[in-house]
Amino acid sequence: MRKLIFIIVMLFLTIIPLFAKSKIAILDLQGKNISPVDASSISDFLRGNITNTDKFIVIERANMDKVMAEQSFQQTGCTDQECAVQIGKLLNAEKIIVGSVSKLGNSYIINIRVVNIAYGSVEKAFDEKGESLEEMPDATKRLAVKLADYEKEMTKIEEKPYEPGDIYIKSSPVEGNIYID
C-alpha cells in the first residue's frame, strides 16, 4: 500500500511541471522618440496580450507599483539587466520583461528582453515593427505569441525521456529546495 501511494505521489509530482506557468513581471517600455503616454499605452497592450496567451502568471501592474512603492523603488528608467533582476526579486517573479518602443523614421519598433531572475541573464530578445501607432496593438499581439511559443519550446527542452526508476522534479523557483522523506 505504501508503494502504491509513493508511486501516485511521484506521478503527481512529475505531471505538475507540465502545467506550471512562469510568473512574470512586465515593466513599462522605455519610449525612444515617442511620448511617455504612448509608451505606457503600448506597455499596457503588451501586458494584456501576454496575459491572454494563458502561458504565464502576469503580475498586475498595480501590484507591481504597490510593492515597489513600499520598497521605495522606482521602475522609471530601469532598462538594464541588473535593475530588472532587483525588481524581479522584489516581486517574487521568475522572469521579467524589459524593453523599449522606438520611432525610427515613419516606423515604430518594439524590442523586449526576457530576463531570468534566478540566473540574472537575458534568456531571449524579441522585436516587432509597425508602420504607425495604430498598428502597435497588433505588434504587441505578435510579440505575445512569439513569447508564448518560446516558453512552450523551453518546456519541451526541459522534458526528458523517462525510464523506470527515474524521478524528474522541476522546482519553482528554479533554485528551490526539494526534500523527499
Side-chain angles (χ1 to χ4, degrees):
M1 183 65 171
R2 289 182 112 189
K3 274 188 172 182
L4 179 60
I5 292 172
F6 178 76
I7 290 170
I8 291 171
V9 168
M10 288 299 116
L11 285 174
F12 181 71
L13 288 175
T14 58
I15 291 173
I16 288 174
L18 299 177
F19 301 104
K21 297 178 186 179
S22 295
K23 185 176 179 184
I24 65 168
I26 304 165
L27 297 185
D28 280 343
L29 300 173
Q30 179 185 24
K32 295 181 179 179
N33 205 20
I34 69 166
S35 76
V37 172
D38 288 339
S40 180
S41 296
I42 294 167
S43 300
D44 289 339
F45 284 125
L46 180 63
R47 201 173 281 110
N49 287 320
I50 290 173
T51 301
N52 290 340
T53 66
D54 204 32
K55 298 284 184 196
F56 304 95
I57 298 169
V58 179
I59 300 170
E60 183 61 37
R61 182 179 179 172
N63 292 342
M64 287 176 26
D65 292 342
K66 181 181 173 186
V67 168
M68 290 191 297
E70 289 172 359
Q71 299 293 324
S72 300
F73 202 102
Q74 295 292 324
Q75 74 165 332
T76 309
C78 180
T79 57
D80 71 339
Q81 195 172 309
E82 188 176 312
C83 178
V85 169
Q86 288 177 351
I87 291 176
K89 287 179 180 177
L90 280 176
L91 299 170
N92 198 27
E94 295 172 52
K95 298 177 184 183
I96 193 163
I97 295 176
V98 295
S100 62
V101 57
S102 309
K103 182 176 182 189
L104 296 171
N106 293 328
S107 298
Y108 293 84
I109 299 170
I110 304 171
N111 182 293
I112 62 170
R113 295 177 308 286
V114 180
V115 179
N116 183 305
I117 302 304
Y119 298 113
S121 62
V122 175
E123 279 187 6
K124 190 77 172 167
F126 302 96
D127 59 68
E128 261 314 315
K129 181 179 174 183
E131 296 303 319
S132 67
L133 278 174
E134 289 76 24
E135 290 183 19
M136 290 295 93
D138 289 334
T140 61
K141 285 180 188 175
R142 292 190 300 271
L143 275 173
V145 168
K146 285 180 181 180
L147 185 61
D149 288 345
Y150 168 71
E151 187 71 9
K152 185 177 171 184
E153 283 301 310
M154 289 305 293
T155 303
K156 283 183 183 176
I157 290 169
E158 292 174 0
E159 292 176 10
K160 297 183 171 111
Y162 301 107
E163 294 186 20
D166 288 348
I167 297 175
Y168 174 75
I169 299 173
K170 178 181 174 185
S171 71
S172 178
V174 176
E175 295 176 354
N177 294 326
I178 298 172
Y179 300 95
I180 298 176
D181 188 355

